Amino acid sequence: MDLLAEVTEVDGIGKQIADHLRKFGIYTVRDLFYFLPRDYENFQSTIKICDLQPGKVMVRGKISNLSTKNTTRRGFKITYGKISDDTGAIRAIWFNQPYREKQFDPDREYYFTGNYDFKNGTYQLTSPSAVVVSDKRSKAEESEISEADLQPIYKARGTIKSVKFHQIFDKNRAKFAQIPDLLPGTFPDDPLQIDHPNYVHTGARAEALFKMHFPETPNDVTEAKRYLSYEEVFEMLIAANLSKQENSKLHSEKLPFVEEKTKELISSLPFQLTDAQRKATWEILKDLDNDTPMNRLLQGDVGSGKTVVAAIAAYQAICNGFQVALLAPTAILATQHAESLRELLEPLGVRIALLVSATKRKDALKKEIAQGKYNLIIGTHAIITDDVFFHSLAFCIIDEQHRFGVNQRQKLLSKTAHNTRKSTIPGNNIAPHLLSMTATPIPRSLQLTVFGDLDVSIINQLPGGRQPIETKIITELDQKEVLYPHVASEIENGHQIYWICRNIEDSPSAETASVKKQCQKLQGIFPHYRVEFLHGRMKPPEKDEIMKRFAEGKIDILVSTTVVEVGVNVPNASLMVIMDAEGYGLAQLHQLRGRVGRGTVASTCYLMIAAEMKPTKRLKAMEQSTDGFYLAEMDLKIRGPGEIYGSLQHGELNLQIANLADTGLISQAARQAKVVAKEFNQNPEIMLKYKELLAGIAQYQQLTTLN
Ligand code: ADP
Ligand code: MG
């Protein structure tokens, strides 16, 4: 069976379903077979209502008396129902899922799974999921239904629901046995002899995939996951190894260390570099002094001072007679960079151009860039458009690199090959040095696997004199008593406030707060303060104007969507309120919170949740720590790598299995991947034997390499 064939090769998938699946990244037979259940429902573990104990439970029963009520100020909806079996009845409750009211057939039985606990004076089942008891199952004797006690649950893909996936796989049950082996060293006439751990053997893949979709026992799932995790990590690590090999075959300008000049720059800084900044700077400066391209990621929490490190590196390239490009995700940020770098570098004779979409005289500026009149070109996407040519670009810096797609990064890097000044490097393997920067700390295990081809520098230290940020979870009900007085006292003390909302405008379907309405509300509560709003759909000049006024202290409360998340620096802002905080990922909350605590005053961040909500693990972690690396590890544990990766990088990564905290598995895979990558490098012709493996590797490379 050819796993790389179109997904329409699978029984039960016609053109229509295939078109739909494609939207979710499922193109091939392989993609489908690797679309794994997100969970399993264990139907053996139902409990009679009279025997229920608090905790996660499953009951089997009918549901009646469904009704939905609106609560509190923001139109929060609660749906109630009564679940009964032959031993009793309990209340079910859902938040913001009004469709539940119409979902059920009162005459049918369902499996309800949820948390059973005591709340608001009664025991209830909170937000249960529901699976209808099939006719076959309800008629069958209890003893007869052992075969499928463990029911896979698939994440719905648009209109394709879990059951449909189940049906498709069921139809193709026999096909699983034909799934070929994948990893080197496991199949007949395999040129490579690789000694994998004992859960990788001939037939291991077919077995694992079958067990994932049709497990008989929970142990089946555990074993299958072990194989698939290994496979996943192994592919990723080979991809990283190969990327690194490819990178080492490219050539870039050697930009030697300029000791005197660097010292001069550092001594002109208004502050002492932290030890962490010094170390990172040194690592970068050494990389630049090399004729293979640097490919380095500079990680440092918000406010750790990455910009000045980038400036020192840029200065080395400039002193060697080359141009440097600094790409930033927003006009606000690019402008801020231009301002602070002008202050640092212009006194030393560096000429800096700022190119954003609002820049006037753009054509003239582009001409001057191509003529080499500027040394450092700072900008947004405007600097990667096709009509921008550089004179002698040899070093690219990308700030907040996760904000850019692979294509955008590649576009910037490809500019070097079209420099107007001819390079002395022969051939066309020319690439610039690349420094990517991110404030989203990447957990070590992800670093080794997903970003294995990158060298990493870490700034794990904040400049001295920073005040800690205190974080508090509050509910809407605390606003009057706790929040408003605090807001007033901060403003009276001359400070400013960020107020973050999820939506731009109120809409009937959205239950979360909107910027416009919240702004009005706060204007009503604080008539003497200057309250304004900002959101991503405003025109760039309008946005810049608001941000500028906020930075100048002309706005007291800025009600905004997450557009303020990236890099913005207003040290006078000392308080942040994040409404509907449960809706954000940890990394994003951490980024947002980093907008305060940038000055010398103590700051506070309020995470606001609805009155009915309990704080999630995520929010509690935020309350406990401001350490980005700790939070990143927590995030990895809570959400799994797939989502973290998604937030780090655009594009889909099919990283759904591996538990990246499993260092044993990772180091085994790392050893074998190294051996295989080396073989591939020495005997490229044997790679033909591993067509499918290479397709998978190529996909990872697309997503992970920064070249
Ligand atoms: P980020 O890493 O979030 O990009 P920035 O580079 O914007 O951080 O730096 C945040 C602020 O800290 C800036 O105002 C910068 O001038 C200042 N800063 C950077 N390094 C130091 C230092 N070693 N001592 C004091 N202040 C510093
Ligand atoms: Mg920054």
XYZ file of all heavy atoms in Angstrom, residues 271-274 277 300-308 463 466 569 598, ligand 1:
164
model
N 24.186 51.593 30.022
C 24.119 50.613 31.111
C 25.201 49.565 30.921
O 25.829 49.492 29.860
C 22.748 49.939 31.169
C 22.231 49.536 29.802
C 22.793 48.463 29.120
C 21.192 50.241 29.194
C 22.340 48.096 27.880
C 20.732 49.870 27.929
C 21.306 48.804 27.274
N 25.410 48.764 31.962
C 26.323 47.619 31.883
C 25.561 46.436 31.289
O 24.428 46.175 31.696
C 26.741 47.218 33.303
C 27.673 48.188 33.968
C 29.103 47.750 33.778
O 29.409 46.580 33.956
N 29.965 48.672 33.399
N 26.162 45.715 30.391
C 25.509 44.496 29.901
C 25.425 43.479 31.032
O 26.323 43.408 31.873
C 26.313 43.892 28.749
C 26.328 44.656 27.431
C 27.223 43.935 26.431
C 24.931 44.809 26.875
N 24.350 42.702 31.052
C 24.293 41.614 32.032
C 25.236 40.501 31.573
O 25.615 40.445 30.397
C 22.874 41.029 32.145
O 22.502 40.490 30.861
C 21.861 42.095 32.551
N 23.785 38.654 28.724
C 23.897 39.386 27.444
C 25.307 39.263 26.863
O 25.493 39.058 25.669
C 23.569 40.875 27.639
C 22.080 41.163 27.722
C 21.816 42.623 28.086
O 22.467 43.170 28.981
N 20.863 43.246 27.414
N 15.254 35.063 24.877
C 15.344 35.796 26.127
C 13.989 36.354 26.436
O 13.286 36.833 25.544
N 13.637 36.255 27.682
C 12.348 36.705 28.120
C 12.116 38.158 27.726
O 13.074 38.883 27.485
C 12.302 36.601 29.653
C 11.085 35.818 30.064
O 10.096 35.891 29.324
O 11.131 35.149 31.110
N 10.860 38.568 27.687
C 10.570 39.969 27.391
C 11.343 40.862 28.352
O 11.419 40.581 29.545
C 9.058 40.277 27.530
C 8.334 39.883 26.269
C 8.463 39.567 28.721
N 11.960 41.860 27.819
C 12.684 42.806 28.660
C 14.091 42.377 29.021
O 14.795 43.071 29.742
N 14.533 41.236 28.507
C 15.861 40.752 28.889
C 16.971 41.500 28.131
O 18.143 41.351 28.440
C 15.979 39.247 28.648
O 15.791 38.958 27.284
N 16.587 42.279 27.121
C 17.581 43.101 26.434
C 18.215 42.425 25.223
O 19.433 42.425 25.047
N 17.381 41.901 24.351
C 17.897 41.250 23.152
C 18.337 42.276 22.110
O 19.270 42.037 21.346
C 16.816 40.337 22.543
C 16.464 39.169 23.434
C 15.451 38.240 22.798
C 14.066 38.837 22.686
N 13.408 39.056 23.977
N 17.644 43.423 22.101
C 17.908 44.402 21.043
C 19.366 44.859 21.040
O 19.988 44.949 19.979
C 16.990 45.627 21.209
O 15.683 45.153 21.502
C 16.971 46.461 19.960
N 19.890 45.125 22.217
C 21.251 45.649 22.256
C 22.255 44.579 21.810
O 23.255 44.876 21.153
C 21.583 46.233 23.656
C 21.605 45.162 24.717
C 22.910 46.964 23.624
N 17.868 42.596 33.277
C 18.728 43.672 33.783
C 18.293 44.058 35.197
O 17.110 43.967 35.524
C 18.469 44.824 32.813
C 17.981 44.202 31.572
C 17.250 42.964 31.992
N 14.816 45.955 37.906
C 13.427 45.721 37.506
C 12.610 45.286 38.708
O 13.074 44.509 39.544
C 13.344 44.619 36.450
C 14.013 44.960 35.163
C 13.076 45.706 34.219
N 13.847 46.355 33.158
C 14.266 45.724 32.074
N 13.991 44.466 31.895
N 14.955 46.367 31.169
N 7.227 48.785 24.157
C 7.925 49.169 25.376
C 7.420 50.511 25.920
O 7.747 51.558 25.393
C 9.431 49.252 25.068
C 10.251 49.405 26.337
O 9.792 49.036 27.421
N 11.434 49.958 26.208
N 8.213 46.952 33.007
C 9.393 47.323 32.226
C 10.074 48.566 32.779
O 11.117 48.957 32.299
C 9.001 47.531 30.763
C 8.463 46.261 30.148
C 7.962 46.487 28.745
N 9.038 46.521 27.766
C 9.529 45.459 27.138
N 9.043 44.282 27.391
N 10.489 45.586 26.276
P 13.598 42.449 24.706
O 14.543 41.350 25.033
O 12.243 42.204 25.243
O 13.592 42.781 23.237
P 14.704 45.077 24.906
O 15.889 44.806 24.091
O 13.598 45.845 24.296
O 14.141 43.725 25.494
O 15.184 45.775 26.250
C 14.264 46.233 27.187
C 14.778 47.479 27.862
O 15.886 47.171 28.705
C 15.261 48.523 26.898
O 14.778 49.771 27.335
C 16.778 48.451 26.989
O 17.379 49.669 26.737
C 16.987 48.023 28.430
N 18.207 47.267 28.687
C 18.762 46.340 27.884
N 19.867 45.815 28.449
C 20.020 46.413 29.652
C 20.977 46.301 30.722
N 21.983 45.452 30.640
N 20.801 47.090 31.809
C 19.766 47.939 31.865
N 18.833 48.094 30.906
C 18.947 47.346 29.812
